[in-house]
Amino acid sequence: MTVFIRYQILSYIRSLTFIPPVTVLLGWVFILYAYKNVSILSSYAISSVAIYLTMTWIAMGIFQIDGDSEKHILFFTIGKKSLFVLGKFLTCFLVWIPLFLFAEFFPLVTHSFNGEMTLIHAGLSLYSHFILGMLGVIIGALCSATKLSTKRYAWLTAVLILVISMATPSILEGVSALRYVLWLFPPVTQVITYLNQGDGIHLSSLFWVETSLVLIYVAIGYIAITWLILKREH
């Protein structure tokens, strides 16, 4: 698995397709902290959304990087197709790490916040960046490596899912009947809602309930994506 992941990372770097999404994220963070004395959690909420969009873009590149013949060779080398999917997700996770570290520590290095960082702030930041990053990977894999979206409409489908997931509260205000349909979309607003309540936030039991539901969503998403990819490659 280690050899496969290393190969995937090197292939992705050599393809140079990482340049546009990484450049967009870097520019987003630079602009976000162009001014000093900004709120800690609300700023991390914005950079979490940036990670969400960026990881969708990156995941689509990673899941599409292998040609058909190369993919069959990798299947044979790894032994199990499920390990192939797991390796792709782990590759995306390793790519997420430096992006998260940059988004997390850039404002600290540049002294951009208007207050002192606490453990709660750091924990919420890690939680939101990680969950939204993994949700982005799930969307990228869904739109690029399954039969649910053709290659021609992969990007359009991804953008549609991203927009709906971020606009869920507004959609519910206008059409409440879609409440149960929107459960299928990534729970972006549930993740960042606590980061938009001010830096003096106190976490209640409701936070842990919603966090558990979000983690269950991510786990189900990974299992569903794995099943869909295996069905396509069967």
Side-chain angles (χ1 to χ4, degrees):
M1 180 62 72
T2 302
V3 175
F4 171 71
I5 294 174
R6 185 184 302 117
Y7 173 77
Q8 288 291 296
I9 292 176
L10 291 176
S11 296
Y12 184 61
I13 292 175
R14 289 168 183 165
S15 70
L16 301 181
T17 55
F18 71 92
I19 295 177
V22 171
T23 300
V24 169
L25 177 65
L26 296 180
W28 192 316
V29 173
F30 284 136
I31 294 173
L32 176 61
Y33 297 110
Y35 297 95
K36 304 297 183 181
N37 297 320
V38 297
S39 173
I40 298 173
L41 291 181
S42 62
S43 298
Y44 279 146
I46 296 173
S47 61
S48 295
V49 172
I51 288 284
Y52 176 51
L53 303 176
T54 302
M55 288 308 302
T56 300
W57 194 344
I58 289 174
M60 293 183 73
I62 290 176
F63 276 88
Q64 290 179 328
I65 200 170
D66 306 311
D68 291 335
S69 58
E70 184 180 8
K71 193 181 297 182
H72 290 304
I73 294 174
L74 291 172
F75 287 158
F76 177 78
T77 303
I78 297 175
K80 290 184 178 180
K81 293 180 180 179
S82 59
L83 292 179
F84 174 85
V85 180
L86 175 60
K88 288 284 190 177
F89 270 89
L90 291 176
T91 300
C92 292
F93 171 71
L94 291 177
V95 173
W96 167 85
I97 291 175
L99 301 180
F100 161 69
L101 292 177
F102 176 76
E104 178 79 6
F105 290 104
F106 179 81
L108 298 178
V109 173
T110 56
H111 304 288
S112 299
F113 292 140
N114 59 6
E116 292 294 327
M117 187 83 160
T118 66
L119 288 177
I120 292 181
H121 296 154
L124 285 174
S125 174
L126 173 61
Y127 164 70
S128 61
H129 282 93
F130 174 73
I131 294 298
L132 291 190
M134 295 306 101
L135 290 175
V137 173
I138 289 173
I139 294 174
L142 177 68
C143 296
S144 63
T146 70
K147 290 183 178 180
L148 294 184
S149 179
T150 62
K151 187 174 182 180
R152 182 178 181 181
Y153 298 107
W155 286 100
L156 179 61
T157 305
V159 171
L160 181 63
I161 295 174
L162 291 170
V163 171
I164 292 176
S165 66
M166 291 187 292
T168 296
S170 300
I171 296 174
L172 288 176
E173 288 181 5
V175 188
S176 59
L178 294 176
R179 177 179 305 275
Y180 298 106
V181 176
L182 292 176
W183 269 94
L184 297 173
F185 290 84
V188 176
T189 55
Q190 286 90 332
V191 175
I192 65 175
T193 184
Y194 290 94
L195 279 73
N196 291 320
Q197 296 181 5
D199 293 340
I201 185 173
H202 296 283
L203 302 179
S204 64
S205 58
L206 179 61
F207 168 80
W208 301 107
V209 172
E210 293 187 346
T211 298
S212 299
L213 294 175
V214 170
L215 292 174
I216 292 172
Y217 181 96
V218 172
I220 294 175
Y222 169 75
I223 294 171
I225 292 298
T226 300
W227 181 78
L228 289 170
I229 293 177
L230 294 180
K231 185 176 181 181
R232 177 182 180 181
E233 301 297 340
H234 182 66

